[in-house]
């Protein structure tokens, strides 16, 4: 493959949307975060960010990525080339990315058979296994599985064995979920979150799903040893994510529309803030690391 054949490069992408790519990368990091040093995590996240134009495919040189990082963030922030190369080797071994060698594409360069830069292709990951083929059906199942609270929640009207029996019916479950307004929100959900979401989404399921998704995200970073995972930060991130959702809802309401997937919108906003906080912690740790 030649490095100037953009259409051929686009055919290598493994993701339909940037959201799919971000979710897959998050799952890969949840599984394999401990395999990387903090500097390598910064390198891998930087490489991932360069995969936004052609989703999941990076066709820039490592030197170019490092130079851009130094220009934007400063030399203290940028990992070394050897750190990038270590991160890439580990990611390849773990199946997070694969590489394809290219040849330089001008006519004179083709005659001389000159080697071009590598292409870095991020692979698909699901919660249960690494995906090796692009299947729309599997992607749909993975997206539906990402929300942890899809099982039925007991309501005051139904208890015990009768509840278990009724929940075996999909139609019954669907009708029960639709009837659960915000007054049925479970007690484990913080009141501040209920009070802020209730005016816009009078649904126990939406409110509970937002909370559980946020807890799931924070818990994954807590297990990774991050110090920013505190109750105060959780509340701050949740409030900001709700504010972002409400702003979007109000903007769309001017056109007679509404957010189609409020739980997904909230979760993406919350996750972005958590990822930013994690990156800031990694940067601070890298800057304060002793120099030998």
């Amino acid at each position: 493959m030649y490095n100037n054949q953009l259409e051929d490069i686009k055919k290598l992408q493994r993701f339909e949307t940037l959201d799919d790519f971000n979710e897959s990368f998050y799952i890969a990091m949840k599984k394999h975060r401990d395999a990387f040093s903090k500097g390598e995590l910064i390198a891998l996240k930087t490489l991932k960010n360069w995969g936004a134009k052609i989703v999941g495919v990076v066709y820039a040189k490592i030197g170019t990525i490092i130079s851009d990082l130094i220009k934007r963030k400063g030399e203290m922030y940028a990992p070394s080339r050897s750190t990038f190369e270590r991160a890439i080797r580990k990611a390849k071994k773990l199946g997070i990315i694969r590489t394809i060698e290219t040849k330089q594409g001008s006519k004179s360069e083709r005659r001389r058979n000159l080697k071009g830069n590598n292409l870095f292709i991020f692979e698909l990951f699901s919660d249960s296994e690494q995906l090796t083929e692009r299947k729309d059906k599997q992607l749909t199942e993975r997206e539906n599985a990402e929300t942890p609270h899809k099982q039925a929640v007991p309501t005051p009207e139904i208890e015990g064995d009768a509840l278990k029996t009724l929940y075996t019916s999909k139609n019954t479950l669907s009708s029960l979920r639709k009837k659960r307004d915000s007054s049925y929100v479970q007690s484990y959900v913080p009141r501040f979150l209920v009070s802020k979401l209730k005016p816009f989404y009078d649904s126990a399921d939406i409110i509970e799903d937002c909370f559980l998704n946020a807890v799931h995200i924070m818990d994954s970073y807590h297990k990774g040893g991050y110090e920013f995972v505190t109750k105060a930060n959780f509340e701050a991130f949740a409030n900001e994510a709700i504010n972002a959702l409400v702003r979007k809802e109000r903007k769309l309401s001017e056109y007679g529309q509404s957010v189609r997937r409020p739980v997904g919108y909230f979760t993406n906003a919350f996750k972005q803030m958590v990822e930013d906080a994690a990156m800031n912690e990694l940067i601070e740790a890298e800057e304060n690391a002793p120099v030998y």
Side-chain angles (χ1 to χ4, degrees):
M1 176 180 288
Y2 295 100
N3 60 5
N4 63 348
Q5 296 176 315
L6 188 59
E7 290 305 315
D8 288 339
I9 293 174
K10 287 182 178 179
K11 293 177 183 177
L12 298 172
Q13 66 185 57
R14 310 277 288 165
F15 304 92
E16 293 285 354
T17 66
L18 191 58
D19 284 343
D20 290 339
F21 178 33
N22 290 335
E23 177 66 16
S24 179
F25 184 78
Y26 166 74
I27 293 170
M29 289 296 94
K30 183 174 68 173
K31 289 182 177 180
H32 301 301
R33 183 189 305 276
D34 293 342
F36 299 91
S37 68
K38 290 187 176 181
E40 290 164 356
L41 284 172
I42 294 175
L44 195 59
K45 180 68 182 294
T46 303
L47 187 68
K48 174 253 182 188
N49 290 341
W50 276 71
K53 186 174 182 181
I54 298 179
V55 182
V57 179
V58 180
Y59 57 97
K61 297 178 181 179
I62 295 298
T64 301
I65 295 174
I66 295 173
S67 297
D68 176 75
L69 196 57
I70 292 173
K71 186 184 299 184
R72 291 186 297 105
K73 300 291 186 178
E75 191 169 353
M76 289 294 295
Y77 175 88
S80 65
R81 185 182 185 90
S82 60
T83 302
F84 266 91
E85 291 173 348
R86 283 197 310 272
I88 290 168
R89 285 197 299 270
K90 289 181 180 180
K92 287 175 64 177
K93 186 176 180 180
L94 294 168
I96 297 171
I97 63 174
R98 62 187 175 95
T99 60
I100 294 179
E101 292 185 356
T102 65
K103 297 179 181 179
Q104 296 186 21
S106 69
K107 289 184 178 179
S108 61
E109 289 166 341
R110 290 188 185 188
R111 285 196 296 269
R112 288 181 287 169
N113 200 30
L114 295 179
K115 182 179 178 181
N117 54 293
N118 286 339
L119 299 178
F120 303 100
I121 303 163
F122 283 81
E123 298 287 11
L124 289 161
F125 270 78
S126 73
D127 282 325
S128 59
E129 60 179 348
Q130 180 185 352
L131 303 178
T132 55
E133 296 181 9
R134 182 175 175 173
K135 298 180 180 179
D136 291 340
K137 182 178 179 181
Q138 287 179 319
L139 285 173
T140 302
E141 289 173 353
R142 177 168 59 82
E143 289 170 355
N144 292 338
E146 72 180 18
T147 304
H149 189 64
K150 290 298 182 183
Q151 299 300 315
V153 177
T155 64
E157 294 84 5
I158 307 173
E159 296 179 356
D161 293 336
L163 175 69
K164 184 176 179 181
T165 302
L166 283 172
Y167 281 179
T168 60
S169 167
K170 185 176 180 180
N171 293 332
T172 303
L173 172 58
S174 177
S175 64
L176 284 174
R177 288 176 65 84
K178 289 179 181 178
K179 292 179 180 178
R180 297 181 65 241
D181 60 32
S182 58
S183 64
Y184 291 112
V185 172
Q186 300 295 302
S187 59
Y188 56 73
V189 180
R191 303 320 300 171
F192 81 89
L193 195 145
V194 177
S195 62
K196 294 198 71 171
L197 285 174
K198 179 180 177 179
F200 299 91
Y201 307 102
D202 190 19
S203 165
D205 298 293
I206 289 177
I207 295 171
E208 289 169 3
D209 286 354
C210 286
F211 172 70
L212 290 171
N213 283 3
V215 169
H216 175 71
I217 292 168
M218 287 289 274
D219 184 58
S220 67
Y221 283 89
H222 173 69
K223 291 176 181 176
Y226 285 85
E227 295 179 358
F228 75 87
V229 182
T230 63
K231 181 179 179 181
N233 280 339
F234 176 86
E235 293 182 0
F237 296 155
N239 274 310
E240 285 300 315
I242 293 171
N243 291 339
L245 175 59
V246 169
R247 285 194 297 269
K248 184 68 173 179
E249 193 69 67
R250 284 174 172 163
K251 184 176 180 180
L252 289 176
S253 67
E254 296 175 2
Y255 305 95
Q257 301 174 357
S258 61
V259 178
R260 292 179 62 186
R261 295 176 57 198
V263 175
Y265 195 95
F266 168 88
T267 303
N268 287 335
F270 186 90
K271 182 165 62 176
Q272 184 60 57
M273 284 180 283
V274 172
E275 287 179 350
D276 290 343
M279 184 58 65
N280 290 334
E281 186 171 320
L282 290 176
I283 295 168
E284 185 177 349
E286 191 77 7
E287 291 177 348
N288 296 331
V291 179
Y292 297 100

